[in-house]
Short mmCIF file of all heavy atoms in Angstrom, two decimals:
data_model
loop_
_atom_site.label_atom_id
_atom_site.label_comp_id
_atom_site.label_asym_id
_atom_site.label_seq_id
_atom_site.Cartn_x
_atom_site.Cartn_y
_atom_site.Cartn_z
N SER A 1 5.61 -8.84 -2.60
CA SER A 1 6.64 -8.21 -1.86
C SER A 1 6.30 -6.80 -1.63
O SER A 1 5.57 -6.15 -2.42
CB SER A 1 8.03 -8.46 -2.55
OG SER A 1 7.87 -8.06 -3.91
N PRO A 2 6.98 -6.06 -0.66
CA PRO A 2 6.73 -4.71 -0.39
C PRO A 2 7.31 -3.76 -1.39
O PRO A 2 8.25 -4.12 -2.14
CB PRO A 2 7.27 -4.53 1.04
CG PRO A 2 8.42 -5.49 1.13
CD PRO A 2 7.98 -6.67 0.24
N TYR A 3 6.72 -2.53 -1.31
CA TYR A 3 7.32 -1.48 -2.17
C TYR A 3 8.07 -0.49 -1.18
O TYR A 3 7.44 0.03 -0.30
CB TYR A 3 6.25 -0.66 -2.88
CG TYR A 3 5.53 -1.54 -3.90
CD1 TYR A 3 4.37 -2.28 -3.52
CD2 TYR A 3 5.94 -1.52 -5.22
CE1 TYR A 3 3.73 -3.04 -4.48
CE2 TYR A 3 5.25 -2.29 -6.16
CZ TYR A 3 4.16 -3.04 -5.74
OH TYR A 3 3.49 -3.72 -6.70
N ALA A 4 9.36 -0.23 -1.46
CA ALA A 4 10.05 0.71 -0.68
C ALA A 4 9.91 2.12 -1.40
O ALA A 4 10.47 2.26 -2.45
CB ALA A 4 11.51 0.44 -0.55
N ILE A 5 9.25 3.06 -0.77
CA ILE A 5 8.87 4.28 -1.51
C ILE A 5 9.13 5.52 -0.59
O ILE A 5 8.84 5.44 0.59
CB ILE A 5 7.45 4.24 -2.06
CG1 ILE A 5 7.32 3.18 -3.09
CG2 ILE A 5 7.04 5.56 -2.49
CD1 ILE A 5 5.94 3.15 -3.72
N GLU A 6 9.61 6.50 -1.18
CA GLU A 6 9.76 7.78 -0.46
C GLU A 6 8.63 8.55 -0.81
O GLU A 6 8.17 8.87 -1.86
CB GLU A 6 10.98 8.56 -1.01
CG GLU A 6 11.16 9.91 -0.28
CD GLU A 6 12.63 10.30 -0.07
OE1 GLU A 6 13.39 9.43 0.39
OE2 GLU A 6 12.91 11.43 -0.26
N LEU A 7 7.90 8.79 0.33
CA LEU A 7 6.52 9.50 0.35
C LEU A 7 6.63 10.92 0.81
O LEU A 7 7.24 11.16 1.90
CB LEU A 7 5.52 8.71 1.05
CG LEU A 7 4.95 7.47 0.39
CD1 LEU A 7 3.99 6.73 1.45
CD2 LEU A 7 4.22 7.80 -0.87
N GLY A 8 5.91 11.83 0.20
CA GLY A 8 5.94 13.23 0.72
C GLY A 8 4.79 13.36 1.65
O GLY A 8 3.93 12.50 1.84
N ALA A 9 4.84 14.40 2.48
CA ALA A 9 3.90 14.65 3.53
C ALA A 9 2.53 14.84 2.85
O ALA A 9 2.48 15.44 1.76
CB ALA A 9 4.31 15.90 4.36
N GLY A 10 1.41 14.38 3.50
CA GLY A 10 0.21 14.52 2.94
C GLY A 10 -0.60 13.24 2.86
O GLY A 10 -0.18 12.25 3.49
N GLU A 11 -1.74 13.21 2.11
CA GLU A 11 -2.51 12.00 2.10
C GLU A 11 -2.15 11.23 0.83
O GLU A 11 -1.91 11.74 -0.26
CB GLU A 11 -4.03 12.52 1.99
CG GLU A 11 -4.49 13.05 3.36
CD GLU A 11 -5.95 13.41 3.33
OE1 GLU A 11 -6.47 13.58 2.21
OE2 GLU A 11 -6.49 13.60 4.40
N HIS A 12 -2.32 9.83 1.02
CA HIS A 12 -2.00 8.95 -0.06
C HIS A 12 -3.06 7.89 -0.02
O HIS A 12 -3.67 7.55 1.01
CB HIS A 12 -0.61 8.22 0.10
CG HIS A 12 0.50 9.36 0.19
ND1 HIS A 12 1.05 9.84 -1.00
CD2 HIS A 12 1.12 9.91 1.23
CE1 HIS A 12 1.96 10.84 -0.57
NE2 HIS A 12 1.98 10.66 0.76
N TRP A 13 -3.35 7.28 -1.12
CA TRP A 13 -4.35 6.20 -1.35
C TRP A 13 -3.65 4.91 -1.68
O TRP A 13 -3.12 4.73 -2.77
CB TRP A 13 -5.43 6.54 -2.32
CG TRP A 13 -6.27 7.68 -1.91
CD1 TRP A 13 -5.94 9.01 -2.17
CD2 TRP A 13 -7.47 7.67 -1.27
NE1 TRP A 13 -7.02 9.81 -1.65
CE2 TRP A 13 -7.93 8.97 -1.05
CE3 TRP A 13 -8.38 6.61 -0.73
CZ2 TRP A 13 -9.10 9.22 -0.36
CZ3 TRP A 13 -9.45 6.91 -0.19
CH2 TRP A 13 -9.89 8.20 0.07
N TRP A 14 -3.73 3.94 -0.77
CA TRP A 14 -3.07 2.67 -1.06
C TRP A 14 -4.03 1.73 -1.72
O TRP A 14 -5.19 1.62 -1.19
CB TRP A 14 -2.66 2.15 0.32
CG TRP A 14 -1.98 0.70 0.36
CD1 TRP A 14 -0.75 0.40 -0.10
CD2 TRP A 14 -2.64 -0.48 0.75
NE1 TRP A 14 -0.55 -0.98 0.05
CE2 TRP A 14 -1.80 -1.62 0.57
CE3 TRP A 14 -3.93 -0.88 1.16
CZ2 TRP A 14 -2.03 -2.92 0.86
CZ3 TRP A 14 -4.18 -2.20 1.52
CH2 TRP A 14 -3.27 -3.08 1.34
N CYS A 15 -3.66 1.05 -2.69
CA CYS A 15 -4.49 0.08 -3.48
C CYS A 15 -4.64 -1.16 -2.56
O CYS A 15 -3.81 -1.79 -2.26
CB CYS A 15 -3.96 -0.33 -4.80
SG CYS A 15 -4.78 -1.61 -5.60
N ALA A 16 -5.90 -1.50 -2.30
CA ALA A 16 -6.27 -2.62 -1.47
C ALA A 16 -6.73 -3.88 -2.32
O ALA A 16 -6.62 -4.97 -1.92
CB ALA A 16 -7.32 -2.36 -0.40
N CYS A 17 -7.03 -3.67 -3.60
CA CYS A 17 -7.67 -4.64 -4.38
C CYS A 17 -6.55 -5.39 -5.24
O CYS A 17 -6.85 -6.45 -5.63
CB CYS A 17 -8.65 -4.01 -5.32
SG CYS A 17 -7.85 -3.07 -6.71
N GLY A 18 -5.36 -4.75 -5.43
CA GLY A 18 -4.34 -5.44 -6.17
C GLY A 18 -4.40 -5.26 -7.70
O GLY A 18 -3.52 -5.72 -8.46
N LEU A 19 -5.38 -4.56 -8.20
CA LEU A 19 -5.55 -4.31 -9.58
C LEU A 19 -4.91 -3.18 -10.24
O LEU A 19 -4.79 -3.06 -11.46
CB LEU A 19 -7.09 -4.35 -9.93
CG LEU A 19 -7.85 -5.60 -9.68
CD1 LEU A 19 -9.35 -5.30 -9.93
CD2 LEU A 19 -7.37 -6.74 -10.40
N SER A 20 -4.53 -2.28 -9.36
CA SER A 20 -3.97 -0.88 -9.84
C SER A 20 -2.77 -1.12 -10.76
O SER A 20 -1.91 -2.02 -10.49
CB SER A 20 -3.65 -0.08 -8.68
OG SER A 20 -2.96 1.08 -9.17
N GLN A 21 -2.60 -0.37 -11.78
CA GLN A 21 -1.43 -0.44 -12.64
C GLN A 21 -0.30 0.37 -12.04
O GLN A 21 0.78 0.51 -12.51
CB GLN A 21 -1.75 0.15 -14.05
CG GLN A 21 -2.76 -0.69 -14.76
CD GLN A 21 -2.28 -2.09 -15.02
OE1 GLN A 21 -1.25 -2.32 -15.58
NE2 GLN A 21 -3.04 -3.13 -14.66
N THR A 22 -0.57 1.21 -11.00
CA THR A 22 0.31 2.13 -10.38
C THR A 22 0.55 1.68 -8.89
O THR A 22 0.46 2.57 -7.98
CB THR A 22 -0.10 3.55 -10.54
OG1 THR A 22 -1.38 3.64 -9.83
CG2 THR A 22 -0.27 4.11 -11.89
N GLN A 23 0.80 0.52 -8.74
CA GLN A 23 1.03 -0.13 -7.37
C GLN A 23 2.19 0.66 -6.64
O GLN A 23 3.13 1.04 -7.34
CB GLN A 23 1.36 -1.64 -7.46
CG GLN A 23 0.21 -2.46 -7.86
CD GLN A 23 -0.84 -2.62 -6.82
OE1 GLN A 23 -0.64 -2.30 -5.67
NE2 GLN A 23 -1.98 -2.89 -7.29
N PRO A 24 2.13 0.88 -5.36
CA PRO A 24 1.05 0.29 -4.55
C PRO A 24 -0.13 1.35 -4.36
O PRO A 24 -0.83 1.24 -3.36
CB PRO A 24 1.78 0.24 -3.21
CG PRO A 24 2.79 1.30 -3.22
CD PRO A 24 3.26 1.52 -4.61
N PHE A 25 -0.21 2.23 -5.31
CA PHE A 25 -1.25 3.31 -5.05
C PHE A 25 -2.49 2.98 -5.96
O PHE A 25 -2.42 2.30 -6.96
CB PHE A 25 -0.73 4.66 -5.42
CG PHE A 25 0.47 5.02 -4.64
CD1 PHE A 25 1.70 5.03 -5.21
CD2 PHE A 25 0.36 5.26 -3.23
CE1 PHE A 25 2.86 5.37 -4.49
CE2 PHE A 25 1.43 5.57 -2.50
CZ PHE A 25 2.76 5.55 -3.07
N CYS A 26 -3.72 3.42 -5.45
CA CYS A 26 -4.95 3.27 -6.21
C CYS A 26 -4.95 4.09 -7.41
O CYS A 26 -4.53 5.26 -7.45
CB CYS A 26 -6.03 3.68 -5.27
SG CYS A 26 -7.73 3.64 -6.03
N ASP A 27 -5.40 3.42 -8.53
CA ASP A 27 -5.57 4.25 -9.78
C ASP A 27 -6.98 4.13 -10.30
O ASP A 27 -7.31 4.44 -11.39
CB ASP A 27 -4.61 3.68 -10.92
CG ASP A 27 -5.11 2.36 -11.48
OD1 ASP A 27 -5.90 1.75 -10.85
OD2 ASP A 27 -4.37 1.86 -12.49
N GLY A 28 -7.93 3.66 -9.37
CA GLY A 28 -9.39 3.59 -9.77
C GLY A 28 -9.78 2.25 -10.34
O GLY A 28 -10.97 2.01 -10.56
N SER A 29 -8.87 1.32 -10.56
CA SER A 29 -9.19 0.03 -11.13
C SER A 29 -10.09 -0.84 -10.22
O SER A 29 -10.64 -1.89 -10.59
CB SER A 29 -7.94 -0.83 -11.40
OG SER A 29 -7.09 -0.15 -12.28
N HIS A 30 -10.22 -0.53 -8.90
CA HIS A 30 -11.00 -1.25 -8.00
C HIS A 30 -12.53 -1.17 -8.27
O HIS A 30 -13.27 -1.87 -7.74
CB HIS A 30 -10.75 -0.79 -6.49
CG HIS A 30 -11.14 0.65 -6.40
ND1 HIS A 30 -10.22 1.66 -6.49
CD2 HIS A 30 -12.32 1.15 -5.93
CE1 HIS A 30 -10.90 2.72 -6.24
NE2 HIS A 30 -12.14 2.58 -5.93
N LYS A 31 -12.90 -0.26 -9.22
CA LYS A 31 -14.30 -0.01 -9.49
C LYS A 31 -15.00 -1.37 -9.83
O LYS A 31 -14.56 -2.10 -10.74
CB LYS A 31 -14.51 0.91 -10.60
CG LYS A 31 -14.97 2.32 -10.21
CD LYS A 31 -15.31 3.17 -11.34
CE LYS A 31 -14.98 4.58 -11.04
NZ LYS A 31 -14.39 5.31 -12.09
N GLY A 32 -16.17 -1.72 -9.11
CA GLY A 32 -16.90 -2.87 -9.41
C GLY A 32 -16.38 -4.08 -8.65
O GLY A 32 -17.09 -5.16 -8.68
N THR A 33 -15.31 -4.07 -7.92
CA THR A 33 -14.85 -5.12 -7.08
C THR A 33 -15.34 -5.13 -5.71
O THR A 33 -15.34 -6.17 -4.99
CB THR A 33 -13.25 -5.04 -6.86
OG1 THR A 33 -12.93 -3.93 -6.19
CG2 THR A 33 -12.67 -5.08 -8.26
N GLY A 34 -15.92 -3.99 -5.29
CA GLY A 34 -16.40 -3.87 -3.84
C GLY A 34 -15.35 -3.57 -2.91
O GLY A 34 -15.61 -3.38 -1.67
N ILE A 35 -14.16 -3.53 -3.38
CA ILE A 35 -13.03 -3.18 -2.54
C ILE A 35 -12.65 -1.76 -2.66
O ILE A 35 -12.78 -1.16 -3.82
CB ILE A 35 -11.75 -4.03 -2.87
CG1 ILE A 35 -12.05 -5.49 -2.71
CG2 ILE A 35 -10.54 -3.56 -2.08
CD1 ILE A 35 -11.06 -6.49 -3.25
N THR A 36 -12.33 -1.08 -1.62
CA THR A 36 -11.94 0.38 -1.68
C THR A 36 -10.60 0.60 -1.17
O THR A 36 -10.01 -0.12 -0.39
CB THR A 36 -12.97 1.21 -0.76
OG1 THR A 36 -13.05 0.66 0.51
CG2 THR A 36 -14.33 1.19 -1.37
N PRO A 37 -9.97 1.65 -1.72
CA PRO A 37 -8.59 1.90 -1.41
C PRO A 37 -8.47 2.45 0.13
O PRO A 37 -9.54 2.80 0.73
CB PRO A 37 -8.11 3.09 -2.28
CG PRO A 37 -9.39 3.66 -2.62
CD PRO A 37 -10.47 2.62 -2.71
N MET A 38 -7.31 2.48 0.73
CA MET A 38 -7.10 2.89 2.13
C MET A 38 -6.39 4.17 2.05
O MET A 38 -5.26 4.30 1.50
CB MET A 38 -6.32 1.90 2.86
CG MET A 38 -6.08 2.26 4.33
SD MET A 38 -5.07 1.17 5.20
CE MET A 38 -6.36 -0.04 5.68
N LYS A 39 -6.92 5.25 2.64
CA LYS A 39 -6.27 6.57 2.70
C LYS A 39 -5.49 6.60 3.92
O LYS A 39 -5.81 6.16 5.05
CB LYS A 39 -7.41 7.62 2.84
CG LYS A 39 -6.82 9.05 2.81
CD LYS A 39 -7.85 10.12 2.47
CE LYS A 39 -8.44 10.65 3.76
NZ LYS A 39 -9.42 11.74 3.43
N PHE A 40 -4.30 7.08 3.77
CA PHE A 40 -3.37 7.20 4.94
C PHE A 40 -2.57 8.52 4.75
O PHE A 40 -2.40 9.05 3.71
CB PHE A 40 -2.45 5.98 5.14
CG PHE A 40 -1.45 5.83 4.01
CD1 PHE A 40 -0.11 6.18 4.27
CD2 PHE A 40 -1.76 5.32 2.82
CE1 PHE A 40 0.84 6.08 3.16
CE2 PHE A 40 -0.89 5.09 1.75
CZ PHE A 40 0.41 5.50 1.97
N SER A 41 -2.16 9.14 5.96
CA SER A 41 -1.39 10.28 5.84
C SER A 41 -0.01 10.16 6.40
O SER A 41 0.20 9.33 7.25
CB SER A 41 -2.22 11.49 6.40
OG SER A 41 -3.00 11.13 7.37
N VAL A 42 0.80 11.03 5.83
CA VAL A 42 2.31 10.97 6.17
C VAL A 42 2.64 12.33 6.66
O VAL A 42 2.18 13.36 6.01
CB VAL A 42 3.16 10.64 4.96
CG1 VAL A 42 4.58 10.61 5.26
CG2 VAL A 42 2.80 9.20 4.46
N ASP A 43 3.29 12.50 7.81
CA ASP A 43 3.57 13.74 8.38
C ASP A 43 4.79 14.45 7.77
O ASP A 43 4.76 15.68 7.62
CB ASP A 43 3.92 13.57 9.85
CG ASP A 43 2.75 13.12 10.74
OD1 ASP A 43 1.62 13.22 10.22
OD2 ASP A 43 2.99 12.54 11.76
N LYS A 44 5.65 13.68 7.43
CA LYS A 44 6.98 14.32 6.81
C LYS A 44 7.46 13.40 5.67
O LYS A 44 7.11 12.23 5.65
CB LYS A 44 8.02 14.51 7.78
CG LYS A 44 8.34 13.31 8.56
CD LYS A 44 9.48 13.60 9.42
CE LYS A 44 9.96 12.45 10.46
NZ LYS A 44 9.70 11.12 10.39
N THR A 45 8.20 13.81 4.74
CA THR A 45 8.75 13.04 3.70
C THR A 45 9.71 11.97 4.36
O THR A 45 10.58 12.22 5.08
CB THR A 45 9.54 13.98 2.80
OG1 THR A 45 8.73 14.98 2.21
CG2 THR A 45 10.18 13.15 1.66
N GLU A 46 9.24 10.68 4.00
CA GLU A 46 10.11 9.68 4.52
C GLU A 46 9.95 8.43 3.64
O GLU A 46 9.02 8.26 2.92
CB GLU A 46 9.82 9.36 5.99
CG GLU A 46 8.42 8.90 6.27
CD GLU A 46 8.10 8.64 7.69
OE1 GLU A 46 9.12 8.27 8.44
OE2 GLU A 46 7.00 8.88 8.15
N LYS A 47 10.98 7.54 3.88
CA LYS A 47 10.95 6.23 3.06
C LYS A 47 10.11 5.26 3.85
O LYS A 47 10.37 5.01 5.00
CB LYS A 47 12.40 5.80 2.79
CG LYS A 47 12.31 4.68 1.78
CD LYS A 47 13.81 4.34 1.40
CE LYS A 47 13.84 3.14 0.38
NZ LYS A 47 15.23 2.68 0.22
N LEU A 48 9.12 4.64 3.24
CA LEU A 48 8.20 3.70 3.90
C LEU A 48 8.16 2.50 3.05
O LEU A 48 8.36 2.46 1.84
CB LEU A 48 6.84 4.27 4.11
CG LEU A 48 6.76 5.52 5.00
CD1 LEU A 48 5.31 6.17 4.77
CD2 LEU A 48 6.90 5.12 6.39
N TRP A 49 7.85 1.35 3.77
CA TRP A 49 7.66 0.09 3.06
C TRP A 49 6.12 -0.08 3.06
O TRP A 49 5.51 -0.40 4.09
CB TRP A 49 8.37 -1.05 3.85
CG TRP A 49 9.78 -0.90 3.82
CD1 TRP A 49 10.53 -0.16 4.65
CD2 TRP A 49 10.63 -1.62 2.85
NE1 TRP A 49 11.91 -0.33 4.27
CE2 TRP A 49 12.03 -1.24 3.22
CE3 TRP A 49 10.53 -2.48 1.87
CZ2 TRP A 49 13.08 -1.70 2.42
CZ3 TRP A 49 11.60 -2.95 1.09
CH2 TRP A 49 12.83 -2.53 1.39
N LEU A 50 5.59 -0.09 1.86
CA LEU A 50 4.16 -0.34 1.64
C LEU A 50 3.90 -1.79 1.13
O LEU A 50 4.63 -2.25 0.39
CB LEU A 50 3.65 0.76 0.57
CG LEU A 50 3.62 2.10 1.09
CD1 LEU A 50 3.04 3.01 -0.03
CD2 LEU A 50 2.94 2.29 2.28
N CYS A 51 2.87 -2.31 1.74
CA CYS A 51 2.51 -3.74 1.47
C CYS A 51 2.10 -3.92 -0.04
O CYS A 51 1.20 -3.16 -0.50
CB CYS A 51 1.37 -4.09 2.47
SG CYS A 51 0.73 -5.78 2.00
N GLY A 52 2.68 -4.96 -0.68
CA GLY A 52 2.31 -5.15 -2.09
C GLY A 52 1.53 -6.40 -2.18
O GLY A 52 0.95 -6.70 -3.14
N CYS A 53 1.61 -7.28 -1.07
CA CYS A 53 0.89 -8.64 -1.14
C CYS A 53 -0.52 -8.48 -0.78
O CYS A 53 -1.32 -9.43 -1.03
CB CYS A 53 1.62 -9.53 -0.23
SG CYS A 53 1.34 -9.39 1.47
N LYS A 54 -0.88 -7.36 -0.06
CA LYS A 54 -2.23 -7.02 0.32
C LYS A 54 -2.75 -7.93 1.49
O LYS A 54 -4.02 -7.84 1.83
CB LYS A 54 -3.31 -7.14 -0.84
CG LYS A 54 -2.84 -6.50 -2.19
CD LYS A 54 -2.61 -5.08 -1.95
CE LYS A 54 -2.04 -4.44 -3.31
NZ LYS A 54 -1.54 -3.00 -3.08
N ALA A 55 -1.82 -8.57 2.11
CA ALA A 55 -2.25 -9.53 3.20
C ALA A 55 -1.67 -9.01 4.60
O ALA A 55 -1.81 -9.65 5.58
CB ALA A 55 -1.88 -10.88 3.00
N SER A 56 -1.11 -7.87 4.60
CA SER A 56 -0.53 -7.39 5.81
C SER A 56 -1.39 -7.16 6.93
O SER A 56 -2.67 -6.82 6.63
CB SER A 56 0.21 -5.89 5.56
OG SER A 56 0.62 -5.39 6.74
N GLY A 57 -1.09 -7.40 8.15
CA GLY A 57 -1.94 -7.16 9.26
C GLY A 57 -1.92 -5.67 9.76
O GLY A 57 -2.55 -5.26 10.68
N ASN A 58 -1.03 -4.94 9.16
CA ASN A 58 -0.83 -3.57 9.39
C ASN A 58 -0.85 -2.60 8.19
O ASN A 58 -0.02 -1.81 7.98
CB ASN A 58 0.49 -3.31 10.15
CG ASN A 58 0.70 -1.91 10.64
OD1 ASN A 58 -0.30 -1.19 11.06
ND2 ASN A 58 2.02 -1.42 10.71
N LYS A 59 -1.96 -2.86 7.38
CA LYS A 59 -2.15 -2.12 6.11
C LYS A 59 -2.12 -0.64 6.39
O LYS A 59 -2.72 -0.18 7.36
CB LYS A 59 -3.40 -2.46 5.45
CG LYS A 59 -3.35 -3.98 5.00
CD LYS A 59 -4.76 -4.38 4.44
CE LYS A 59 -4.70 -5.78 4.10
NZ LYS A 59 -5.82 -6.63 4.60
N PRO A 60 -1.55 0.24 5.45
CA PRO A 60 -0.93 -0.17 4.21
C PRO A 60 0.43 -0.53 4.29
O PRO A 60 1.14 -0.64 3.25
CB PRO A 60 -1.18 1.11 3.43
CG PRO A 60 -0.98 2.22 4.42
CD PRO A 60 -1.53 1.69 5.70
N PHE A 61 0.96 -0.69 5.49
CA PHE A 61 2.47 -0.96 5.61
C PHE A 61 2.76 -2.41 5.67
O PHE A 61 1.98 -3.30 6.14
CB PHE A 61 2.91 -0.38 6.84
CG PHE A 61 2.65 1.12 6.92
CD1 PHE A 61 1.65 1.55 7.84
CD2 PHE A 61 3.19 2.01 6.12
CE1 PHE A 61 1.28 3.02 7.80
CE2 PHE A 61 2.83 3.37 6.07
CZ PHE A 61 1.91 3.88 6.98
N CYS A 62 3.93 -2.82 5.15
CA CYS A 62 4.40 -4.11 5.17
C CYS A 62 4.67 -4.54 6.65
O CYS A 62 5.33 -3.85 7.27
CB CYS A 62 5.62 -4.28 4.30
SG CYS A 62 6.49 -5.91 4.39
N ASP A 63 4.17 -5.76 7.03
CA ASP A 63 4.47 -6.26 8.35
C ASP A 63 5.20 -7.59 8.31
O ASP A 63 5.28 -8.27 9.35
CB ASP A 63 3.28 -6.29 9.29
CG ASP A 63 2.35 -7.42 8.86
OD1 ASP A 63 2.49 -8.05 7.76
OD2 ASP A 63 1.35 -7.79 9.61
N GLY A 64 5.63 -7.95 7.18
CA GLY A 64 6.33 -9.25 7.04
C GLY A 64 5.52 -10.37 6.60
O GLY A 64 6.01 -11.52 6.41
N THR A 65 4.23 -10.21 6.58
CA THR A 65 3.23 -11.36 6.24
C THR A 65 3.61 -12.05 4.95
O THR A 65 3.40 -13.11 4.75
CB THR A 65 1.83 -10.81 6.31
OG1 THR A 65 1.54 -10.30 7.59
CG2 THR A 65 0.75 -11.97 5.96
N HIS A 66 4.15 -11.03 3.93
CA HIS A 66 4.35 -11.68 2.61
C HIS A 66 5.34 -12.80 2.65
O HIS A 66 5.32 -13.66 1.73
CB HIS A 66 4.87 -10.56 1.69
CG HIS A 66 6.22 -10.00 2.15
ND1 HIS A 66 6.35 -8.89 3.09
CD2 HIS A 66 7.48 -10.32 1.82
CE1 HIS A 66 7.61 -8.62 3.31
NE2 HIS A 66 8.35 -9.50 2.53
N LYS A 67 6.16 -12.94 3.67
CA LYS A 67 7.16 -14.01 3.82
C LYS A 67 6.40 -15.32 3.97
O LYS A 67 6.82 -16.33 3.42
CB LYS A 67 8.08 -13.79 4.94
CG LYS A 67 9.03 -12.52 4.70
CD LYS A 67 10.22 -12.52 5.66
CE LYS A 67 10.99 -11.12 5.49
NZ LYS A 67 11.05 -10.46 6.76
N LYS A 68 5.29 -15.28 4.80
CA LYS A 68 4.62 -16.49 4.93
C LYS A 68 3.89 -16.99 3.70
O LYS A 68 3.86 -18.20 3.39
CB LYS A 68 3.61 -16.28 6.06
CG LYS A 68 4.21 -16.15 7.49
CD LYS A 68 3.12 -16.06 8.52
CE LYS A 68 3.62 -15.37 9.71
NZ LYS A 68 2.74 -14.25 10.25
N LEU A 69 3.46 -16.00 2.89
CA LEU A 69 2.74 -16.30 1.67
C LEU A 69 3.65 -16.92 0.63
O LEU A 69 3.23 -17.84 -0.17
CB LEU A 69 2.16 -15.03 1.05
CG LEU A 69 1.19 -14.28 1.76
CD1 LEU A 69 0.70 -13.04 1.00
CD2 LEU A 69 -0.08 -15.10 2.12
N ALA A 70 4.99 -16.66 0.75
CA ALA A 70 5.84 -17.18 -0.22
C ALA A 70 6.39 -18.57 0.12
O ALA A 70 6.99 -19.22 -0.74
CB ALA A 70 7.07 -16.27 -0.30
N GLU A 71 6.05 -19.00 1.37
CA GLU A 71 6.46 -20.40 1.76
C GLU A 71 5.79 -21.45 1.10
O GLU A 71 4.49 -21.29 0.75
CB GLU A 71 6.30 -20.47 3.27
CG GLU A 71 7.55 -19.95 3.99
CD GLU A 71 7.31 -19.77 5.43
OE1 GLU A 71 6.31 -20.32 5.99
OE2 GLU A 71 8.22 -19.06 6.13
FE1 FES B 1 4.86 -7.43 3.19
FE2 FES B 1 2.48 -7.45 2.26
S1 FES B 1 4.27 -7.03 1.13
S2 FES B 1 3.11 -7.84 4.36
FE1 FES B 2 -6.94 -1.03 -6.03
FE2 FES B 2 -8.22 1.30 -6.07
S1 FES B 2 -7.20 0.30 -7.72
S2 FES B 2 -8.04 -0.04 -4.47
#
């Protein structure tokens, strides 16, 4: 399921591998998996829905794909 998070302006690293202990952000746990985090920037402080299922078609944002996975 997605993470609703208030993010400040600037760059953020979204965990793409699913191993991070600080979801939905990268904490370096991807080392050795061949998967790398996704850097994205935010213009202003706002609440965003970040994908937690890692299957979104619009990473790092939730696009509703997680609903299909739950079926
Ligand atoms: Fe919604 Fe991944 S959490 S698409
Ligand atoms: Fe998952 Fe870095 S910990 S991409």
Side-chain angles (χ1 to χ4, degrees):
S1 50
Y3 295 88
I5 291 189
E6 179 144 317
L7 284 175
E11 290 180 343
H12 303 278
W13 292 87
W14 176 78
C15 170
C17 74
L19 296 176
S20 173
Q21 298 296 308
T22 57
Q23 292 292 340
F25 303 108
C26 173
D27 71 352
S29 299
H30 62 270
K31 255 190 212 139
T33 63
I35 297 173
T36 50
M38 179 182 279
K39 183 163 92 175
F40 66 103
S41 24
V42 176
D43 295 338
K44 56 176 174 14
T45 299
E46 61 183 328
K47 192 171 177 189
L48 293 167
W49 291 84
L50 293 182
C51 173
C53 75
K54 313 303 179 190
S56 172
N58 184 32
K59 294 174 184 131
F61 306 106
C62 172
D63 71 350
T65 300
H66 63 272
K67 291 192 191 127
K68 290 185 205 136
L69 298 179
E71 275 168 14

